[in-house]
Amino acid sequence: MKPEIAKAAQILRAGGLVAFPTETVYGLGADASSAQAVARLYAVKRRPAGHPVIVHFDGAERAFTWARDVPAAARTLAQRFWPGPLTLVLKRSALAQDFITGGQDNVGVRVPAHPVAHELLAAFGGGIAAPSANRFGLVSPTTAAHVRADLGADVDLVLEGGPSEVGIESTILDLSGAKPVVLRPGRITAVEIEAALGEALAEKPSDAPRHSGGLERHYAPRTPVRLVPGYQLDREIARLKEKLAVLAFSRPDERVEYWLRMPRDPQAYAHKLYAALRELDSAACEAILIEAPPPVPEWAAVLDRLRRACG
Ligand code: TXA
Ligand code: MG
């Protein structure tokens, strides 16, 4: 075992916090069976109590011991998509205590695909509770440098693993009810899940389990953000008097102070998104203007994050 991984597992066992790379975003990890460790995790994140946190595992077998009821759909999806950017919400077993589930009767479990995450999870040998490794409400980190900038000395160790490949948080699928429901869109789309299950997904009900990704103004930069359709971009740039930072598909416009051009492929876009938002946020502009991607299913996950960035 690599010394860095052994040290990280040791810190977790002692109740400490380890930030680690996953293929979606960097996570801030704590021993998911320790109330004290998870309390410290919440304090460092400045996350309000009562929000459930995803528990990560090195494989489906271990993950499913945290559920008391594992429907056939969960096994099918685990086969198809794990390790990978999919979180399954299942009815909890006694291992998932109230401080993990926010007192709800279900638990979110995931087997991440990043090799460093996998090594850490295997070395630790249990569940690691890990929200994104940023302060509550800010843009998720996709590099170790982002984590250090956000959390500094509040985290005991940051494992390095390069830029996160997916770049946005995992798809969350609730399998605890009568029909599967997507609670948070991600790289794995509703269409792919429906194809794997051979069953249609239900619409998200208004009484869906509480999840912080469902709060208004989440994943937000500090600079005010506005989302505008492509055909209005030029007009908005001409109309607005503020010093602007723009995120767009098109070529830079010389009237604009700071311009970042984004790829037209949704996965390539997601990969760059959070680093781009951080860069625009630190450009000392008065407003961020984002050219909206088309409102079609392939862009659902990116659009969801962009809408939240606007609040
Ligand atoms: O990609 C990801 O999922 C990343 C990496 C680190 O794995 N983690 C992540 O965690 O995004 P976090 O805490 O920033 O967002 C997790 C979301 C929150 O909205 C949380 O409330 C929701 O998942 N969640 C966790 N457990 C849940 C449960 N039992 N029922 C409903 N929502 C749950
Ligand atoms: Mg988060």
Side-chain angles (χ1 to χ4, degrees), residues 10 29 38 114 138 145 155 157 177 192 207 226 231 234 258 282 294:
Q10 188 48 44
V38 174
H114 196 290
L138 295 181
V155 45
L157 179 69
E192 287 176 280
D207 65 344
R226 300 202 17 224
Y231 68 90
D234 191 62
Y258 204 94
S282 58

Side-chain angles (χ1 to χ4, degrees), residues 277-300:
L277 288 177
R278 280 168 188 265
E279 188 179 334
L280 294 176
D281 206 16
S282 58
C285 290
E286 292 156 305
I288 296 172
L289 215 54
I290 301 179
E291 178 179 359
V296 294
E298 303 83 80
W299 285 95

Side-chain angles (χ1 to χ4, degrees), residues 136-137 212-220 307-308 310-311:
F136 184 73
S212 53
L215 293 179
E216 294 284 295
R217 201 170 158 76
H218 199 58
Y219 313 117
R307 290 197 180 110
R308 289 177 201 287
C310 298

Side-chain angles (χ1 to χ4, degrees), residues 1-19 119-120 123-124 155-159:
M1 191 189 303
K2 290 179 193 132
E4 191 81 344
I5 296 290
K7 184 177 160 197
Q10 188 48 44
I11 290 171
L12 290 173
R13 278 187 209 109
L17 303 181
V18 174
E119 283 170 46
L120 176 64
F124 179 65
V155 45
D156 300 312
L157 179 69
V158 181
L159 290 174

Side-chain angles (χ1 to χ4, degrees), residues 83-279:
L86 177 68
T87 296
L88 298 177
V89 173
L90 302 170
K91 294 214 176 78
R92 67 171 166 176
S93 74
L95 292 173
Q97 299 176 68
D98 282 346
F99 58 83
I100 284 296
T101 71
Q104 299 182 88
D105 194 32
N106 49 44
V107 61
V109 295
R110 168 164 124 77
V111 177
H114 196 290
V116 173
H118 182 79
E119 283 170 46
L120 176 64
L121 287 158
F124 179 65
I128 300 181
S132 50
N134 53 290
R135 305 270 188 215
F136 184 73
L138 295 181
V139 176
S140 293
T142 53
T143 66
H146 293 162
V147 177
R148 283 190 290 267
D150 283 1
L151 302 179
D154 286 349
V155 45
D156 300 312
L157 179 69
V158 181
L159 290 174
E160 182 64 63
S164 295
E165 196 256 319
V166 175
I168 56 173
E169 303 81 354
S170 61
T171 305
I172 302 180
L173 185 74
D174 184 3
L175 289 174
S176 68
K179 280 209 147 252
V181 184
V182 173
L183 299 180
R184 179 174 71 186
R187 160 77 75 93
I188 295 172
T189 64
V191 173
E192 287 176 280
I193 294 169
E194 286 177 337
L197 294 180
E199 170 188 9
L201 303 183
E203 285 299 309
K204 184 168 150 182
S206 53
D207 65 344
R210 231 177 319 137
H211 65 114
S212 53
L215 293 179
E216 294 284 295
R217 201 170 158 76
H218 199 58
Y219 313 117
R222 293 163 211 268
T223 315
V225 181
R226 300 202 17 224
L227 198 56
V228 294
Y231 68 90
Q232 277 179 10
L233 188 63
D234 191 62
R235 202 173 73 198
E236 284 299 286
I237 290 169
R239 187 180 70 84
L240 292 169
K241 297 287 164 278
E242 293 114 307
K243 194 165 149 194
L244 294 178
V246 170
L247 192 70
F249 297 110
S250 40
R251 266 175 229 293
D253 180 314
E254 72 228 355
R255 292 168 295 177
V256 170
E257 187 74 23
Y258 204 94
W259 189 287
L260 279 183
R261 201 170 172 194
M262 294 295 274
R264 285 194 184 272
D265 170 69
Q267 294 187 355
Y269 191 110
H271 172 72
K272 288 188 159 182
L273 177 60
Y274 287 153
L277 288 177
R278 280 168 188 265
E279 188 179 334

Side-chain angles (χ1 to χ4, degrees), residues 16-27:
L17 303 181
V18 174
F20 62 97
T22 86
E23 77 281 26
T24 57
V25 300
Y26 275 66

